[in-house]
Amino acid sequence: MRLLPRTLLSRLLLLIALLLAISIYASLKIFDYFDREPRATTAALQAVTIVNYTRASLIASHENRRLALLSELSGREGVRVYAADFLEDIEPLPQDPFINLIAQKIRERLGDETIITVNHYDIPGLWISFNVGQDDFWVVIPKIQVDRPFPWHWLGWAAVVGLLSLLGAYIIASRINRPLNLLVHAAERLRNGEPAPKLPEDSVEELREVSRTFNEVAESLVRLDAERTLLLAGVSHDIRTPLARLRLAVEMLSGGTGDSMKQGMIEDISDMDNIIHQFLDFVRGVEGEPTKMVDINELLRSLAERQARAGRNLKLNLTATYYIPLRPLAMQRLLDNLVGNAYAYAKGEVAVSSKITADKIIISVLDNGPGIPPEHAQRLLRPFERMDSARNKNEGGSGLGLAICNRIAKLHRGSLELINRPQGGLEARLSLPIMH
């Protein structure tokens, strides 16, 4: 749960970075598209000027001097002039939009019959044909004059803009992430039955209403829990007083043929008193008890000793000694409830085992009773849920024993499961995290 806001922050920054990269790439493409036309016009004018000057020079020269003039013109500014034979193989222009645009603009000025190619005879450059009388020639313009160098400076500026944008996004996301972290932490405490801290309502505007609403909900739950506790405690206390007087009156009845009925009434009164005691246990809670480092094996040995004093032989199968933070009285109540419930439904055999895994300690209370229907395993962990018919028992109860156990397990950030054993009977499995 606590990692969720950090994960959201990482995903948000990743999304912003992706959008920035797409926008920068699109901007470069748009710039290149609109810049292509003027660059092609400039390159075409340069090529046309070179061709026209070369053609004019050849026309103005005497025919006997043309070869010498061609030799003199070739090599100046990297431009070369060759005699042409248009029966030679001429490759079409490559599928380059920029080169084709330059060729189009050159033909618009020199005529559609102008032949244009690139890298002819493996000589790099832009080859443009022209004629002087009956003679045909090539003007070769080096490719470097028509290609634009890669705009590294644009990439540099784009990187700077991207980094500044990510920094701003991180600051904004962190500002939003802080109240989200507080909200997740408070909701987790509320889920575990602990009082949730009040959230600050001076956070960002988008989360201010959420914090205010959460605080109101948390306060309402605290008031509701306090009223429920007061009501159940008051009712339970008021009922226990007349029950005590009733039991005293029953025990003072004279003996006779009604002894069996008298004993039954006393047992019913004891059952009612036990139910009221469970009510008080449920509403009293254990949240206020401080945690201590407790040896789990010592806790289970003391459990076996208490059962032995009650005349029960509880079998133990313990793992290595290990200390974990627990609320001792609350955990003692949980284990007593589980073992008492197991003896109520078992055929006289109850065992407790412990096991250490990589991240938790597992305590199992095993009985050899009839088990429960699997679809009712989760329901029985809720308050006031009973399943006596599933275990062939008709004893009274409030349905709070397992709910109290589940509540204590969640308070320790653990879990309680009811699992039918393959060989028969039920396993109440308590899993407690080693570090929390």
Side-chain angles (χ1 to χ4, degrees):
M1 287 292 291
R2 293 181 182 176
L3 294 178
L4 181 58
R6 189 175 300 277
T7 304
L8 287 177
L9 176 60
S10 301
R11 290 178 178 175
L12 178 61
L13 291 178
L14 181 61
L15 177 61
I16 293 174
L18 180 62
L19 292 177
L20 279 174
I22 293 175
S23 64
I24 291 172
Y25 178 78
S27 299
L28 290 175
K29 283 295 183 181
I30 293 172
F31 175 80
D32 182 71
Y33 176 79
F34 286 103
D35 185 53
R36 186 185 304 163
E37 180 83 17
R39 284 194 300 114
T41 301
T42 301
L45 286 175
Q46 176 189 6
V48 169
T49 300
I50 293 174
V51 170
N52 287 335
Y53 274 113
T54 303
R55 187 170 181 274
S57 298
L58 292 174
I59 291 175
S61 67
H62 192 275
E63 292 184 1
N64 296 331
R65 294 284 303 164
R66 282 181 182 175
L67 290 178
L69 182 60
L70 286 176
S71 177
E72 185 178 349
L73 289 174
S74 295
R76 290 193 176 185
E77 302 298 330
V79 178
R80 297 180 180 182
V81 182
Y82 299 102
D85 179 6
F86 295 133
L87 295 178
E88 57 193 283
D89 292 332
I90 301 174
E91 295 184 3
L93 288 172
Q95 298 298 319
D96 187 323
F98 185 62
I99 295 296
N100 282 275
L101 186 58
I102 292 176
Q104 175 187 338
K105 292 186 176 297
I106 291 174
R107 290 191 180 101
E108 288 175 359
R109 288 168 173 79
L110 297 181
D112 292 337
E113 70 280 0
T114 303
I115 300 173
I116 302 172
T117 187
V118 294
N119 301 337
H120 194 41
Y121 292 128
D122 292 329
I123 299 175
L126 182 65
W127 292 59
I128 305 172
S129 71
F130 70 95
N131 59 73
V132 178
Q134 299 297 321
D135 298 324
D136 297 317
F137 300 92
W138 288 111
V139 169
V140 184
I141 302 173
K143 195 173 182 180
I144 191 173
Q145 298 188 28
V146 298
D147 279 349
R148 184 186 66 168
F150 191 81
W152 292 105
H153 60 287
W154 283 103
L155 285 184
W157 283 112
V160 172
V161 171
L163 289 176
L164 290 177
S165 301
L166 285 177
L167 179 61
Y170 178 79
I171 294 173
I172 295 173
S174 298
R175 181 77 175 91
I176 297 175
N177 191 51
R178 180 178 175 274
L180 278 179
N181 269 324
L182 294 176
L183 177 61
V184 169
H185 177 68
E188 189 174 3
R189 287 179 61 100
L190 202 62
R191 183 192 65 179
N192 293 328
E194 303 175 18
K198 187 174 181 180
L199 298 178
E201 297 181 6
D202 59 345
S203 60
V204 291
E205 185 66 29
E206 292 79 3
L207 294 174
R208 186 174 301 162
E209 189 63 28
V210 175
S211 300
R212 183 182 298 115
T213 303
F214 180 86
N215 289 335
E216 292 174 356
V217 170
E219 291 173 0
S220 299
L221 289 176
V222 170
R223 287 196 302 269
L224 181 64
D225 187 65
E227 292 170 359
R228 182 195 63 176
T229 301
L230 181 62
L231 175 63
L232 290 178
V235 170
S236 301
H237 180 271
D238 292 343
I239 291 177
R240 295 186 85 173
T241 301
L243 275 180
R245 292 199 299 266
L246 181 60
R247 178 167 183 168
L248 180 61
V250 170
E251 290 178 346
M252 293 180 63
L253 291 176
S254 59
T257 56
D259 283 348
S260 60
M261 184 178 295
K262 172 183 174 181
Q263 185 61 33
M265 294 173 64
I266 292 175
E267 291 177 358
D268 288 341
I269 293 173
S270 297
D271 289 341
M272 294 173 66
D273 190 64
N274 289 333
I275 291 173
I276 294 172
H277 184 71
Q278 282 192 334
F279 271 110
L280 292 175
D281 279 347
F282 185 73
V283 300
R284 187 181 299 123
V286 293
E287 289 81 1
E289 183 186 2
T291 59
K292 297 180 182 178
M293 297 303 294
V294 177
D295 178 6
I296 197 68
N297 287 344
E298 186 62 31
L299 193 67
L300 295 179
R301 290 190 189 98
S302 63
L303 170 67
E305 291 174 1
R306 289 195 301 275
Q307 295 300 319
R309 288 194 292 269
R312 296 169 175 171
N313 181 24
L314 182 64
K315 298 180 180 179
L316 296 180
N317 183 16
L318 305 181
T319 185
T321 297
Y322 203 94
Y323 285 81
I324 59 173
L326 297 175
R327 291 174 167 86
L329 294 179
M331 190 56 58
Q332 177 180 314
R333 186 186 306 174
L334 183 154
L335 294 173
D336 284 338
N337 281 348
L338 290 182
V339 172
N341 191 68
Y343 272 112
Y345 296 102
K347 300 174 183 177
E349 294 184 7
V350 176
V352 176
S353 66
S354 61
K355 181 175 65 174
I356 299 177
T357 64
D359 57 349
K360 65 182 67 174
I361 288 181
I362 300 175
I363 301 173
S364 298
V365 178
L366 311 170
D367 66 50
N368 59 349
I372 60 173
E375 63 272 14
H376 295 294
Q378 285 297 322
R379 186 170 68 86
L380 289 176
L381 298 178
R382 297 198 295 264
F384 307 109
E385 294 287 352
R386 296 174 56 192
M387 203 66 190
D388 291 335
S389 59
R391 302 259 273 180
N392 299 322
K393 297 290 289 184
N394 294 314
E395 296 179 0
S398 63
L400 287 174
L402 289 175
I404 293 173
C405 295
N406 192 43
R407 183 175 178 179
I408 296 173
K410 287 184 177 180
L411 186 64
H412 289 82
R413 305 185 189 277
S415 63
L416 179 63
E417 301 173 90
L418 302 179
I419 305 170
N420 286 317
R421 302 172 65 192
Q423 64 270 36
L426 186 71
E427 175 188 357
R429 181 181 297 174
L430 172 64
S431 300
L432 297 173
I434 291 177
M435 298 298 295
H436 59 78

